[in-house]
Amino acid sequence: MPKSPVLTDEALPGSDQRVQGLMQAGIDAGILKNVDPQLHMTAVFSLVRRYSDLVRNHGYPTDFSPVRAMIWDAVSAK
């Protein structure tokens, strides 16, 4: 995918207000840990970016379940 954001630094969190707003709503509702929304974005997008690189370039198993659980553990308030 030549224009894929996974291949560029555009995949890293920026100042997307919609995503930040969703993260903040999750924080306010007590669903997500009470940290800056950009930290949540970094955790989520960095893990997904690395996972997709491992699958695409290194033959990593394609089962996303353990990665999804890892992301949820990182961001959820529990």
Side-chain angles (χ1 to χ4, degrees), residues 1-75:
M1 293 185 280
K3 297 284 187 181
S4 171
V6 175
L7 300 177
T8 68
D9 287 337
E10 293 171 14
L12 298 174
S15 60
D16 187 323
Q17 296 299 316
R18 293 169 297 191
V19 175
Q20 284 188 28
L22 289 171
M23 296 293 186
Q24 189 61 55
I27 293 166
D28 294 344
I31 298 167
L32 301 178
K33 290 178 180 159
N34 188 15
V35 298
D36 188 286
Q38 287 194 0
L39 292 175
H40 286 290
M41 292 166 61
T42 298
V44 172
F45 297 139
S46 294
L47 283 167
V48 170
R49 181 180 186 191
R50 182 65 178 143
Y51 167 78
S52 63
D53 173 63
L54 288 170
V55 169
R56 183 178 54 248
N57 297 318
H58 304 286
Y60 192 81
T62 57
D63 180 16
F64 190 70
S65 299
V67 178
R68 184 182 63 234
M70 182 178 168
I71 291 169
W72 184 245
D73 287 344
V75 300

